[in-house]
């Protein structure tokens, strides 16, 4: 079947920027600015400003951003960290990687973000932090999470990998917790042309430690205060991201416009549940995720009609083979479990043509 509607279209997104991108990449090569240098500094400064934070430490990818954040916050062996049962595996695997214990918490059935009502039940004397994920681009219920964290003296790392510029009660995500972590994987709302990530924080001491940890434990050449890791954003990615960052606000609005069109076209269809946005939250639609109990048939039908869809993610984290050791049962996370067989991500990207949205909606209406 020919693809009529791709899941994403980065090629056309980059077409208008081609001359600028070519020129920036050429400049990196001409000046050998491969590691550090002015493009990386410029991007860090710009990104912190756009998010409304004071510090941005660029790293190699969004997974490293999570891992480094936990090392910097002093995670020790055996410490417990609460993460949502429904996310990309980076959110939980980095807890283990940093020597902590992953404690999953079920998600809210309709918003897919961590259910704050269930967090306190998961807290033990070993709990040190919570990682809410602003999944699909919708902020988690931060007021309650912050309240719980304060009461129990826990840190918060916001996993903002899918939520660049999303807002919770007017505040940009990444500025609400102790740390915000971002991914610039090519398909994310702000994407590089390879791997890249960032840590943002209002706390300069945390930023200093994160920078040190990501640069082999030292920010001055030859002086290693601690043992760290090597996690850097390279100059070419920084140059590309600086150019693309200038368009992020417009692209976000275009995503919101397109999500609204889907909302309008897909009203009142039997068996179809549209994504819900909770009050006070500005969704940035990294993914437009519908629910249907005949999901697999719908996916196949759309594919037969040339429409690419994706399941993000087919198995909730606690039920993955990677967590078999924890012996979870489906009843332990009923919402994440029930959602995993119903969710389907429709194509949605900023440069998506209206006739493509109409075509997808039209086909879904005709699905029986
Ligand atoms: C993409 C993603 C990450 C990891 O980002 P990488 O840059 O691919 O390492 C972490 N958390 C979530 C929720 C993500 O979607």
């Amino acid at each position: 079947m020919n693809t009529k509607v791709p899941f994403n279209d980065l090629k056309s997104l980059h077409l208008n920027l081609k001359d600028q991108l070519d020129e920036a990449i050429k400049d990196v090569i001409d000046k050998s600015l491969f590691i550090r240098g002015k493009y990386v500094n410029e991007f860090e400064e710009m990104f912190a400003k756009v998010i409304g934070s004071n510090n941005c430490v660029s790293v190699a990818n969004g997974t490293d951003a999570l891992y480094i954040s936990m090392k910097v916050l002093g995670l020790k062996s055996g410490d417990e960290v609460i993460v949502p049962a429904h996310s990309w595996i980076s959110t939980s695997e980095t807890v283990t990687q940093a020597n902590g214990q992953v404690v999953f918490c079920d998600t809210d059935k309709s918003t897919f973000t961590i259910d704050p009502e269930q967090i306190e039940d998961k807290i033990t004397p070993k709990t040190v932090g919570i990682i809410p994920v602003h999944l699909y681009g919708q902020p988690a219920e931060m007021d309650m999470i912050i309240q719980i964290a304060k009461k129990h003296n826990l840190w918060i790392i916001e996993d903002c990998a899918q939520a660049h510029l999303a807002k919770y009660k007017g505040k940009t995500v990444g500025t609400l917790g102790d740390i915000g972590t971002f991914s610039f994987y090519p398909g994310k709302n702000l994407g590089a042309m390879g791997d890249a990530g960032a840590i943002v924080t209002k706390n300069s001491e945390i930023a200093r430690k994160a920078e040190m940890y990501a640069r082999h434990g030292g920010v001055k050449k030859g002086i290693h205060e601690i043992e760290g890791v090597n996690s850097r954003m390279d100059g070419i990615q920084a140059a590309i991201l600086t150019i693309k960052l200038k368009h992020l606000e417009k692209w976000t609005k275009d995503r919101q416009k397109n999500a609204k069109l889907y909302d309008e076209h897909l009203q009142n269809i039997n068996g179809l549940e549209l994504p819900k946005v909770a009050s006070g939250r500005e969704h940035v639609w990294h993914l437009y995720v519908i629910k249907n109990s005949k999901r697999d048939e719908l996916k196949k039908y759309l594919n037969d009609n040339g429409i690419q869809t994706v399941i993000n993610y087919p198995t909730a984290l606690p039920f993955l083979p990677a967590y078999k050791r924890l012996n979870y049962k489906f009843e332990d996370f009923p919402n994440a479990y029930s959602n995993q067989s119903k969710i389907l991500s429709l194509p949605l990207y900023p440069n998506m043509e209206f006739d493509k949205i109409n075509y997808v909606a039209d086909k879904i209406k005709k699905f029986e």
Side-chain angles (χ1 to χ4, degrees):
M1 188 70 212
N2 283 339
T3 301
K4 290 205 178 71
V5 185
F7 190 66
N8 197 353
D9 186 357
L10 292 174
K11 190 176 171 186
S12 94
L13 187 75
H14 293 142
L15 221 51
N16 290 335
L17 308 174
K18 194 173 182 311
D19 291 346
Q20 268 176 290
L21 291 167
D22 284 347
E23 199 181 309
I25 293 168
K26 183 176 179 300
D27 195 50
V28 173
I29 297 170
D30 285 348
K31 298 186 176 135
S32 299
L33 294 169
F34 304 117
I35 300 291
R36 300 303 305 167
K38 75 165 183 181
Y39 285 106
V40 176
N41 295 336
E42 190 185 0
F43 177 75
E44 287 178 339
E45 212 166 286
M46 252 178 85
F47 193 68
K49 200 174 281 173
V50 166
I51 297 301
S53 193
N54 314 21
N55 307 278
C56 168
V57 177
S58 61
V59 294
N61 54 66
T63 308
D64 277 7
L66 286 162
Y67 167 75
I68 291 165
S69 295
M70 280 183 265
K71 295 304 284 187
V72 164
L73 290 168
L75 193 80
K76 299 183 310 300
S77 174
D79 285 351
E80 293 177 0
V81 178
I82 299 171
V83 307
H86 183 163
S87 182
W88 175 243
I89 193 167
S90 300
T91 316
S92 53
E93 72 183 350
T94 47
V95 174
T96 313
Q97 197 185 347
N99 271 322
Q101 294 292 327
V102 184
V103 176
F104 291 109
C105 180
D106 205 5
T107 44
D108 176 79
K109 200 164 189 168
S110 70
T111 62
F112 305 109
T113 53
I114 193 165
D115 180 1
E117 305 278 357
Q118 300 189 47
I119 292 177
E120 280 198 293
D121 292 345
K122 306 282 174 184
I123 295 176
T124 76
K126 289 183 178 167
T127 310
V128 296
I130 310 170
I131 311 183
V133 180
H134 307 308
L135 199 71
Y136 303 154
Q138 169 156 220
E141 181 49 70
M142 292 305 293
D143 275 353
M144 276 183 74
I145 297 169
I146 291 167
Q147 206 182 348
I148 294 166
K150 280 209 175 108
K151 182 172 157 195
H152 298 272
N153 195 24
L154 312 174
W155 48 250
I156 297 173
I157 298 172
E158 295 174 74
D159 184 341
C160 309
Q162 303 189 358
H164 315 69
L165 299 191
K167 291 186 178 65
Y168 178 85
K169 299 191 175 167
K171 292 182 189 149
T172 307
V173 300
T175 63
L176 295 137
D178 298 276
I179 293 180
T181 63
F182 287 84
S183 164
F184 307 113
Y185 175 83
K188 297 283 160 82
N189 286 23
L190 177 63
M193 295 187 177
D195 277 314
I199 292 168
V200 302
T201 176
K202 288 187 173 168
N203 183 321
S204 304
E205 183 55 19
I206 290 178
R208 193 190 68 85
K209 284 186 182 165
E211 189 176 7
M212 191 160 78
Y213 196 83
R215 323 263 179 265
H216 299 288
V219 282
K220 287 201 191 109
K221 242 198 170 86
I223 300 173
H224 304 276
E225 296 181 37
I226 53 167
E227 287 179 314
V229 293
N230 173 13
S231 184
R232 297 184 284 232
M233 177 189 289
D234 58 64
I236 287 184
Q237 300 311 333
I240 290 165
L241 284 169
T242 303
I243 291 168
K244 291 185 70 176
L245 181 56
K246 292 170 189 144
H247 301 268
L248 182 60
E249 205 180 313
K250 158 95 173 49
W251 289 338
T252 303
K253 289 200 174 107
D254 290 343
R255 282 179 184 275
Q256 290 165 338
K257 212 180 291 169
N258 292 343
K260 197 159 169 246
L261 279 175
Y262 269 138
D263 281 346
E264 286 165 10
H265 288 319
L266 297 173
Q267 287 297 319
N268 304 322
I269 298 178
N270 248 345
L272 187 77
E273 201 179 311
L274 298 183
K276 291 187 189 69
V277 185
S279 70
R281 308 193 213 180
E282 195 177 308
H283 200 312
V284 293
W285 303 102
H286 173 58
L287 295 168
Y288 187 92
V289 179
I290 59 168
K291 287 202 260 179
N292 191 302
S293 48
K294 289 191 284 181
R295 191 266 317 274
D296 293 338
E297 290 157 67
L298 176 61
K299 183 171 175 39
K300 182 179 180 307
Y301 160 87
L302 291 174
N303 187 57
D304 290 345
N305 282 285
I307 299 164
Q308 286 180 347
T309 59
V310 175
I311 301 167
N312 306 89
Y313 302 90
T315 307
L317 296 172
F319 312 130
L320 287 169
Y323 295 106
K324 218 176 152 182
R325 65 177 189 276
L326 300 174
N327 277 315
Y328 284 122
K329 294 186 288 295
F330 295 140
E331 308 88 85
D332 296 331
F333 308 97
N335 292 340
Y337 179 63
S338 123
N339 282 336
Q340 73 178 25
S341 60
K342 294 182 186 144
I343 49 174
L344 187 65
S345 311
L346 300 183
L348 186 146
Y349 41 95
N351 46 319
M352 190 172 178
E353 301 87 340
F354 293 155
D355 62 340
K356 288 202 167 68
I357 295 172
N358 291 339
Y359 177 76
V360 175
D362 193 51
K363 287 297 167 197
I364 290 176
K365 276 181 207 159
K366 290 179 181 145
F367 172 70
E368 267 316 323

